[in-house]
């Protein structure tokens, strides 16, 4: 009887828990970087005839978001009328990419007192004080800068250089009396009509 009571108690008090993984970047931060990369390569052209087969060399194009940025470059070249080659042996020209930056910036303007970390003893332990402001504005900016050069896939002879391509994507939000907020709080794709999720080049 005692064992039955213990078993019943354990069943009644059982609970379930879930765990979550947290990536290094939030969804909004990832979108800021992706949109900046899209804007940087908008209108990309190479100093070679349209229709040329191009191999995009990205082994020196490293860093967070580089895979997305490489795909954005490939998409821009396709839109510009170039053919994409899977390796150098199939290409007329090689476009070697390099990244100046692909990261985030943040700026906050405060009318009042910003958040402060105040030391409280000689061991530099600190206590955090919240923001006390009449008005504050926060800007989060994704910044992308790429450049590169083009050379003949067979001879290695230089064919031209691509000047730095720069893109920025900004999210701005406002807060009054630390309570009332407005502005774009997250990056969302534009609404599309059904069937309008693609277009021909």
């Amino acid at each position: 009887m005692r064992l039955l009571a213990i078993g019943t108690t354990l069943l009644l008090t059982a609970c379930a828990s879930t765990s979550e993984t947290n990536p290094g970047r939030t969804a909004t931060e990832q979108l800021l970087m992706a949109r900046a990369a899209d804007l940087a390569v908008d209108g990309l052209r190479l100093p070679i005839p349209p229709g040329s087969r191009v191999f995009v060399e990205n082994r020196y194009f490293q860093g967070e978001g580089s895979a997305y940025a490489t795909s954005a470059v490939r998409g821009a070249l396709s839109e510009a009328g170039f053919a994409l080659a899977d390796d150098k042996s199939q290409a007329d020209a090689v476009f070697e990419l390099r990244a100046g930056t692909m990261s985030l910036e943040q700026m906050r303007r405060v009318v009042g007192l910003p958040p402060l970390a105040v030391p409280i003893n000689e061991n530099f332990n600190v206590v955090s004080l919240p923001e006390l402001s009449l008005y504050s504005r926060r800007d989060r900016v994704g910044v992308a800068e790429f450049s590169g050069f083009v050379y003949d896939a067979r001879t290695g002879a230089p064919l031209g250089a691509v000047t730095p391509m720069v893109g920025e994507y900004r999210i701005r939000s406002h807060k009054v009396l630390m309570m009332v907020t407005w502005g774009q709080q997250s990056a969302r794709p534009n609404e599309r009509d059904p069937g309008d999720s693609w277009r021909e080049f």
Side-chain angles (χ1 to χ4, degrees), residues 50-69:
S52 300
R53 295 185 63 83
V54 179
F55 174 73
V56 178
E57 175 63 84
N58 66 345
R59 59 177 160 168
Y60 306 112
F61 189 64
Q62 303 298 323
E64 190 169 4
S66 60
Y68 183 94

Side-chain angles (χ1 to χ4, degrees), residues 74-174:
R74 290 168 57 85
L77 292 177
S78 291
E79 188 170 358
F82 298 102
L84 297 176
D86 291 330
D87 58 63
K88 291 182 181 180
S89 65
Q90 301 173 347
D92 301 314
V94 177
F95 179 27
E96 185 168 307
L97 283 172
R98 54 179 177 258
T101 185
M102 190 169 178
S103 193
L104 300 169
E105 290 184 344
Q106 181 170 257
M107 181 177 293
R108 185 185 294 270
R109 293 177 172 86
V110 177
V111 179
L113 293 176
L116 297 173
V118 180
I120 57 175
N121 56 33
E122 65 277 2
N123 295 324
F124 297 102
N125 294 324
V126 298
V127 60
S128 297
L129 300 179
E131 176 183 309
L132 298 172
S133 64
L134 298 174
Y135 167 79
S136 64
R137 187 180 85 187
R138 181 186 184 193
D139 286 299
R140 287 175 288 175
V141 186
V143 182
E145 186 202 71
F146 319 132
S147 60
F149 60 97
V150 185
Y151 59 89
D152 188 283
R154 288 175 289 277
T155 67
L159 299 175
V162 176
T163 57
M165 304 167 281
V166 182
E168 286 189 1
Y169 190 79
R170 181 183 306 266
I171 292 177
R172 174 174 291 176
S173 57
H174 309 265

